[in-house]
Amino acid sequence: MTKPLLEIQGLRKQYGAVEVLKGVDCTMRQGEVIAIIGSSGSGKTTMLRCINMLEEFQGGRILIDGDAIGYDEIAGARRRKGEKEIARQRALTGMAFQQFNLFPHMSAAQNVMLGLVKVKKMGRDEARALAEGWLDRVGLAARADHYPGQLSGGQQQRVAIARAIAMNPRLMLFDEVTSALDPELVGEVLQVIKALAAEGMSMLLVTHEMRFAYEVASRVIFMNKGVIGEEGDPKEMFVRPQTERLVEFLKSSSFQ
Amino acid sequence: MTKPLLEIQGLRKQYGAVEVLKGVDCTMRQGEVIAIIGSSGSGKTTMLRCINMLEEFQGGRILIDGDAIGYDEIAGARRRKGEKEIARQRALTGMAFQQFNLFPHMSAAQNVMLGLVKVKKMGRDEARALAEGWLDRVGLAARADHYPGQLSGGQQQRVAIARAIAMNPRLMLFDEVTSALDPELVGEVLQVIKALAAEGMSMLLVTHEMRFAYEVASRVIFMNKGVIGEEGDPKEMFVRPQTERLVEFLKSSSFQ
Amino acid sequence: QDAGSTLDKVLARGTLVMGTGSTNAPWHFKSADDTLQGFDVDMGHIIAKALFNDPAKVEFVNQSSDARIPNITTGKVDITCQFMTVTGARAQQVAFTIPYYREGVGLMMKADGPYKDYAALKAAGSKVTVAVLQNVYAEDLVHAALPEAKVDQYDAQDLIYQALNSGRAEAVATDQSSIGWFMIQNPGRYVDAGYGWGPQTYACAVKRGDQDWLNFVNTALHEAMTGVEFDTYAKSFKTWFGKDLPPPQIGFPVEYK
Amino acid sequence: MHDLLTNDLLMFANELWIARLALLKGLGVTVSISLLSILAGSVAGVGLGLGLVYGNRLLRLLLRGYTDIVRGTPVLVLVLASYYIFSTVGLDLGPFQAGVLALAVFCSSHVGEILRGALQALPAGQTEAAKAIGLTFGQTFASVLWPQALRQILPTWVNTAAEMVKASTLLSVIGVAELLLRTQEIISRNFMSLEFYFFAGFLYFLINFGIERLGKFVERKTAVPS
Amino acid sequence: MGYTLNFAAVWRSFDLLLGGLLLSLQLAAVALVIGAAIGLVLAFALVGGSAVLRRPAQLYVTVIRNLPILVLILFTYFALPQLGVRLDKIASFVLTLAVYSGAYLAEVFRAGLLSVPRGLKEAGLAIGLTPMQIRTSIVIPLMVRNVLPSLSSTLISLFKDTSLAAAIAVPELTFEARKINVETFRVIEVWMVTSALYVATCAVLAALMRAVERRLALPK
Ligand SMILES: Nc1ncnc2c1ncn2[C@@H]1O[C@H](COP(=O)(O)OP(=O)(O)OP(=O)(O)O)[C@@H](O)[C@H]1O
Ligand SMILES: Nc1ncnc2c1ncn2[C@@H]1O[C@H](COP(=O)(O)OP(=O)(O)OP(=O)(O)O)[C@@H](O)[C@H]1O
Ligand SMILES: [Mg+2]
Ligand SMILES: [Mg+2]
């Protein structure tokens, strides 16, 4: 058996006194596409943000390729790693956000190039070629020199995905990437994600689009109040949910 | 035959060089509920706004109870009426907007009272009692002293409707009053509109909710590129659309 | 640690640093070709001549009126000559040299104005507003001559003239020397009320506790008014005040009369 | 009447011609004071803004105190304080140096506040997106935050620059021969107050109007297409 | 090089400083109220559609904002009498500061007016309010809330400009401070105390404005 790509062991996270992740365990192999579903406030976003060290967490471990993210354990005591090391680890994962978060003062190509030049220390020409290649892949070859303000929401989100993918991450994290989009723009973004999945990219995606989760995910995780409530094959889970919670959740969601 | 409540004759409206209403004719009797449907940009909103003189229009006439709205015709020349007169005419119609547009610095009750006190010159106590009555009718008796920032979208929209209705308008105009709402809040607003329809309030409502139009409207107008493309009984029109355009529109809408 | 007398420091430096203003004719102001001139300025040249036998070896530090004493006490200048009135309170903070001028206050009016002379002004009582340079004694000073007049204080010489011209004031009360100069510059447009009062003496000032330096400056000024530099002093006096001075008496020194 | 007016104008023109070099020198000093204090004040202000946003609690508290005191004091008082208070501790600044220092301090507090506002107004998502592609804080600041903040503060910064030009008049009080003192010197010679005050006002207006135009130009040049 | 601070002379004249501060506050209060009225009218002209109103308003704001206030003060005091308008020095300073602050407040209010959503004005129209009623009941209350933070800093810097009234001998705080300087030459001490008075006053003003802001904050 090969080493898992991502291992989460007993992940705990609290904001002040409120515990929002109460011990999450999860293992993911290379090439898997996992959809995370669950009602609002159940901790889906928080879990993704911990994997990327955008949030500190108080307990448990996250390993990527066996490498502990964010903290060293020395003689039982946890110590936050240095900024440089954390920055390097963040580049192992790529992340796409609900609000796109493109840099508004840079063109699409410059957005994609920034990490290549600054983090991967690539030459500008090489970075530019690579960026154009990725923009082409998300269907935006013609928009390389447009600024975010000149692009539709769907186009912006595709640039954001290209920006993340271009860093050649081991694992992509998608956090409700379509919920800020007008309905007619959702399709083009999901198309891009589907294509990436088909090429074998490992992905964790938080989504409210049940139909999409059903179609694209090899596994579904149902988060409930800070723990994993149920997980399994989407073909199974959506049709024969095991827990009362999931039954309820699916009823209230648009899948029915 | 009684005099029609609303008569629109050859209404033309342009923004700069672009003509967005190209001669709309329409007659409406007291107590009718007309749903206006049509694809984005077809001029539905513009038509409502002309009736309320929120937009100036360049040609045609709009009559409410036989009274010409917004312009006098003297010896063939059109002259915009005075601000005071237009304000009086605006109070003949009530309008509810997609974005609610509640006054954020006033409580729900104060929002409803404002027009009563300033336009109808009612005493504050009388206005307050009336406002509370209307808030009760839209199910918000307990929220009279809440500010818009403390209300959900659906509650805000109901206050906005109460504010319009309280002015005792001859005709209510609703412009996509549910499209800025989360799906679970749509129902409560439509409920209020249905109740008003049942009580015989004359209403013109622009909506994208085909099912709702079907249920509540006594007549449906299909707007297409600045003219009325088709109109008739919803039971008829939705089932046997006459024009190619409407067939297409209905196919793309969620009614199917 | 005593750094020695200012006299030694000035000699070692090779120039005198003197504080004065640049906006009050005929005391210290700029000529059309932008050089500083006036009676105060000439005192600086006289002291420089005594120090270095070269009247040009003086550097003027431009200072506003209320900077006169602070600039001495904080050591920004070696000496200040800036039409400074000698008073007891001031003498507690700086050391005054011997006086180099005696001043009085006068009243000036517009030639075509409603009042022709001092008597008319006095008779008008509180109908008269007098413009005067900002000063703690300004009010009392004016009231000594015109007990009922209203007093308006300004912080620059040109502003009191401006007040007179624009009709904000019917008269200005200021140093007779300034009035004299102004009337010479604008012949026929103004009249002197013909009344002088408020005697005061002008002296330069140095830091307290430096007797050597004070002695030196006193000697230089004394010899300008009574000794070898008299011609320089008298020429300057003529230039700025328009009067010829009688030459000092020969023989028994004036001091012991 | 008409002749009188022409006569006055001729006299003014004549005096203006005599005073041209003095005015020019004053203008030069005003411009140098403004440039130096804007430059120094902006550099210090950027440091201040960074400290106000990213500093630890103690640093933030100290800088806040500094900013509030400086911004609560009239510039005239700052100028006088800078000229005199340093000499009590033995640091002897000339009037020009002391004046520029005071204006720079004043300018820094404004730039610091402006930058703080701009940095805090940037959406948190910008920092997060930069982190997510592996940028360190320094890189994030240099490539993502600073360029955006800079565009945002430009208009207000231009206003501050114009304020500094106007505030430079206050250096006349400690004897710096800038435009206003030069004007006063000229007036004390020829007593033409109104004429020369207005001429000075006109020159100040020209400088500030120029700055305003320049600001608009740079703003247009650096605008992000949308 | 010893300079020993000695505040005795300052405390002796402290009531003079307090009197000056009181006058500063009075000058500022009257001038800024008038200035706010001017600013409000200008702001409506600036955002209103008609060029007939907008152009002169723009000219006013551009010219006034780019002039040192000292020049304006001298103009009102010395030139207006020659044109037949004679005001005493306090009235003339108040007028100048009002005119000057009008230009600054116009900019502040303009930004505030632009931030009131158009939909709210339309909602007002739709219930039959006249444009003037919409301005007083809806636009101004919301605009005021929007501009409070920037209004606060503008008011404070305009308050500090009262120090320039000293130039025409209005006995406000700076004038009194300079008067005490001439008398005692305790310049450093006098300016230290004077600036402490200014800083404290500005801090109180800022705190007051924050209190107003909290008071007017909309419930969430
Ligand atoms: N910065 C924060 N401070 C305090 N509590 C927070 C913070 N961010 C999130 N939370 C809380 O943590 C819990 C989990 O939030 P999270 O955003 O992970 O939920 P989610 O499952 O992604 O929900 P959604 O579907 O609405 O995005 C929620 O109760 C939320 O209120
Ligand atoms: N202020 C305006 N200036 C210029 N064009 C406008 C303006 N408002 C609307 N339009 C144009 O007028 C046309 C009709 O707009 P209208 O808002 O009436 O459409 P609609 O049928 O209500 O569409 P939707 O379903 O998107 O609300 C559109 O082409 C629109 O772009
Ligand atoms: Mg989330
Ligand atoms: Mg519409």
Side-chain angles (χ1 to χ4, degrees), chain C residues 190-224:
Chain C
Y190 301 93
V191 291
D192 190 314
Y195 181 77
W197 79 104
Q200 49 183 320
T201 46
Y202 287 169
C204 298
V206 297
K207 199 179 229 173
R208 276 181 52 185
D210 190 347
Q211 195 59 45
D212 262 7
W213 178 228
L214 183 60
N215 278 347
F216 178 85
V217 178
N218 279 343
T219 306
L221 291 175
H222 188 265
E223 293 320 298

Side-chain angles (χ1 to χ4, degrees), chain C residues 1-4, chain E residues 1:
Chain C
Q1 176 75 43
D2 195 349
Chain E
M1 146 105 260

Side-chain angles (χ1 to χ4, degrees), chain D residues 49-68:
Chain D
L50 284 177
L52 281 169
V53 179
Y54 303 113
N56 62 29
R57 205 188 236 317
L58 178 70
L59 183 65
R60 284 207 313 269
L61 202 73
L62 285 175
L63 297 181
R64 178 107 315 273
Y66 166 88
T67 316
D68 287 352

Side-chain angles (χ1 to χ4, degrees), chain A residues 15 20 38-47 55 175-176 208:
Chain A
Y15 287 110
V20 294
S39 56
S40 188
S42 57
K44 310 179 295 294
T45 296
T46 307
M47 177 173 152
E55 301 284 349
D175 188 11
E176 295 190 33
H208 282 161

Side-chain angles (χ1 to χ4, degrees), chain A residues 7-187:
Chain A
E7 244 188 301
I8 301 179
Q9 304 168 342
L11 178 64
R12 314 180 80 84
K13 157 81 191 167
Q14 47 199 63
Y15 287 110
V18 190
E19 198 163 31
V20 294
L21 293 179
K22 304 171 182 170
V24 173
D25 296 283
C26 170
T27 307
M28 175 179 186
R29 274 165 298 105
Q30 169 91 38
E32 262 194 297
V33 174
I34 301 187
I36 307 177
I37 61 172
S39 56
S40 188
S42 57
K44 310 179 295 294
T45 296
T46 307
M47 177 173 152
L48 285 205
R49 292 168 59 87
C50 288
I51 297 176
N52 212 348
M53 271 304 277
L54 289 179
E55 301 284 349
E56 324 247 299
F57 50 93
Q58 283 78 33
R61 301 201 301 164
I62 299 175
L63 307 174
I64 294 182
D65 292 325
D67 197 7
I69 295 296
Y71 299 90
D72 287 319
E73 255 167 273
I74 301 158
R78 296 169 91 233
R79 268 256 313 280
R80 198 172 190 277
K81 294 185 196 246
E83 267 320 313
K84 281 256 162 78
E85 174 63 5
I86 289 182
R88 190 193 62 76
Q89 291 189 326
R90 280 199 186 107
L92 293 175
T93 54
M95 180 141 183
F97 303 83
Q98 182 174 341
Q99 298 299 341
F100 331 145
N101 292 338
L102 286 187
F103 307 132
H105 59 300
M106 298 180 181
S107 67
Q110 287 168 335
N111 263 280
V112 181
M113 289 162 64
L114 183 68
L116 300 174
V117 173
K118 299 277 170 182
V119 180
K120 296 228 184 269
K121 310 291 179 201
M122 219 174 255
R124 294 198 68 80
D125 292 342
E126 193 187 346
R128 171 89 200 184
L130 205 72
E132 281 177 0
W134 275 109
L135 287 172
D136 192 19
R137 293 279 290 279
V138 298
L140 292 172
R143 301 297 162 106
D145 293 321
H146 286 225
Y147 283 79
Q150 301 172 301
L151 300 173
S152 75
Q155 293 171 330
Q156 288 189 50
Q157 191 59 288
R158 286 184 281 154
V159 175
I161 293 173
R163 176 175 71 180
I165 299 280
M167 297 298 291
N168 196 19
R170 298 280 292 136
L171 166 65
M172 270 298 298
L173 311 171
F174 294 88
D175 188 11
E176 295 190 33
V177 287
T178 58
S179 32
L181 296 178
D182 289 346
E184 71 258 38
L185 304 174
V186 169

Side-chain angles (χ1 to χ4, degrees), chain B residues 40-41 43-46 98 175-176 206 208:
Chain B
S40 188
K44 311 180 292 296
T45 296
T46 307
Q98 182 172 345
D175 188 11
E176 295 191 35
V206 172
H208 282 161

